[in-house]
Amino acid sequence: MIGQEKLLLKINELISQNSFPRTVLFEGPYGCGKHTLAKYISSRFKYELIDLTERINLEVLQQIQLSPTPFVYLINADEISIKEQNMILKFLEEPLKNSYIILICEHKSRLLPTVINRCQCYTFESYTDEQLSNFTSENESRYILKFGRTPGWIIKLHDCDIDSIVDLCNKIFLKITVANYSNVLTIPDKICLTKSDTDKIDFKTFVFILQNISYELYQNKQISYDMFELTSRLYQNTSILNINKKHLLEHYLIELKMLAEG
């Protein structure tokens, strides 16, 4: 794994010494390689990787604890509720004799301390420009090179029409004062807000680019700090489990227009 050599070396040492923890937590931003490392670990043990994220309930956990078949179990802690976090406490506290549990998250501060305390925690390092250059080509959009700070984000941005999304984001900030509220509230119609939406802009990608553009415009003194800070909060709120994306985006746009109009 390019950029995570120290972590990979540590993992390999632990596996070779037969001392790899039964329960670990990997923390790092979107696209940094947490899933990739989990797959690598399962391949080293020659165990199947089972994603439990959408299957957490007491019956499933009890079945796992009684199963003689060894697996590596993966849980995306960013996508489970507080109730589910409490549900896995005993599962984490009583390590499986023949299997391993890997939790992944972007920010462990969002997890219950009781969950964190039951895991051996490892943090992914930030990528350098030189390391990220291995995932890009010379003819990439400058925005991919500028905004993509992890391999995963570079791949995701490469697969979208980033220049069109950047243009939309610039219009939102710089022309919101001349648009009426009805027009402003048509913007969510362009974004994929439900699983049934097709041929629309990916919500996570849109908000990620919107946040980056807001920082760029604030640095250039084209928007106020309040507009930048509001956009940062929008990005943070997208991680709230089961949040209504349409209401979140509409509320943000109304607040943004009010701030822009002073």
Side-chain angles (χ1 to χ4, degrees), residues 139-243:
N139 61 347
E140 295 280 17
S141 166
R142 71 179 183 91
Y143 295 110
I144 293 179
L145 303 176
K146 188 171 185 177
F147 299 158
R149 302 312 305 166
T150 66
W153 265 123
I154 287 174
I155 293 170
K156 194 173 183 69
L157 295 175
H158 183 271
D159 291 339
C160 73
D161 186 356
I162 186 170
D163 293 318
S164 295
I165 300 175
V166 167
D167 183 57
L168 173 61
C169 292
N170 275 308
K171 287 179 179 177
I172 289 173
F173 288 114
L174 302 178
K175 297 188 177 181
I176 197 165
T177 55
V178 299
N180 58 43
Y181 281 96
S182 295
N183 288 334
V184 169
L185 292 177
T186 63
I187 293 172
D189 296 336
K190 306 176 188 293
I191 315 301
C192 181
L193 301 174
T194 66
K195 292 182 179 180
S196 60
D197 286 338
T198 57
D199 300 324
K200 293 184 179 182
I201 301 170
D202 175 70
F203 177 73
K204 186 179 183 73
T205 303
F206 169 72
V207 178
F208 175 74
I209 295 174
L210 191 72
Q211 183 203 31
N212 278 279
I213 291 298
S214 73
Y215 177 73
E216 191 173 72
L217 294 176
Y218 169 64
Q219 290 290 96
N220 293 332
K221 299 182 179 180
Q222 292 176 273
I223 65 172
S224 68
Y225 173 79
D226 288 341
M227 294 173 71
F228 161 67
E229 197 273 335
L230 178 67
T231 310
S232 296
R233 276 192 281 120
L234 170 69
Y235 182 72
Q236 294 167 5
N237 288 338
T238 58
S239 64
I240 298 174
L241 199 63
N242 299 322
I243 194 165

Side-chain angles (χ1 to χ4, degrees), residues 71 88 250:
F71 293 105
I88 65 173
E250 288 178 341

Side-chain angles (χ1 to χ4, degrees), residues 17-188:
Q17 296 167 3
N18 197 30
S19 57
F20 187 77
R22 290 291 171 178
T23 305
V24 300
L25 171 64
F26 291 134
E27 177 187 29
Y30 173 86
C32 68
K34 299 185 294 292
H35 282 91
T36 300
L37 185 55
K39 291 177 182 177
Y40 172 77
I41 291 169
S42 68
S43 69
R44 279 295 310 269
F45 285 114
K46 298 182 179 179
Y47 293 169
E48 183 180 354
L49 182 67
I50 304 294
D51 192 335
L52 291 180
T53 307
E54 297 183 358
R55 299 171 51 202
I56 294 175
N57 60 63
L58 292 178
E59 182 180 354
V60 168
L61 297 179
Q62 289 171 353
Q63 288 175 350
I64 290 172
Q65 290 176 312
L66 295 173
S67 173
T69 306
F71 293 105
V72 174
Y73 295 101
L74 177 69
I75 299 175
N76 187 340
D78 290 326
E79 297 181 4
I80 63 175
S81 65
I82 296 296
K83 179 181 178 181
E84 289 169 326
Q85 288 187 47
N86 278 304
M87 198 177 295
I88 65 173
L89 287 178
K90 185 177 180 181
F91 183 57
L92 301 176
E93 190 174 20
E94 300 176 1
L96 305 173
K97 294 181 179 179
N98 61 343
S99 297
Y100 298 87
I101 305 167
I102 299 176
L103 277 71
I104 60 174
C105 69
E106 292 192 29
H107 303 285
K108 65 182 180 183
S109 60
R110 299 171 183 164
L111 304 182
L112 294 173
T114 45
V115 169
I116 299 171
N117 292 339
R118 285 165 170 76
C119 302
Q120 179 66 50
C121 301
Y122 300 95
T123 302
F124 278 63
E125 294 186 32
S126 299
Y127 286 85
T128 65
D129 291 340
E130 182 179 357
Q131 290 165 345
L132 291 171
S133 67
N134 289 280
F135 303 94
T136 61
S137 59
E138 292 182 0
N139 61 347
E140 295 280 17
S141 166
R142 71 179 183 91
Y143 295 110
I144 293 179
L145 303 176
K146 188 171 185 177
F147 299 158
R149 302 312 305 166
T150 66
W153 265 123
I154 287 174
I155 293 170
K156 194 173 183 69
L157 295 175
H158 183 271
D159 291 339
C160 73
D161 186 356
I162 186 170
D163 293 318
S164 295
I165 300 175
V166 167
D167 183 57
L168 173 61
C169 292
N170 275 308
K171 287 179 179 177
I172 289 173
F173 288 114
L174 302 178
K175 297 188 177 181
I176 197 165
T177 55
V178 299
N180 58 43
Y181 281 96
S182 295
N183 288 334
V184 169
L185 292 177
T186 63
I187 293 172

Side-chain angles (χ1 to χ4, degrees), residues 5-22:
E5 289 82 4
K6 290 181 181 178
L7 178 56
L8 190 59
L9 178 62
K10 179 64 175 178
I11 296 299
N12 281 326
E13 286 179 350
L14 291 171
I15 293 175
S16 298
Q17 296 167 3
N18 197 30
S19 57
F20 187 77
R22 290 291 171 178

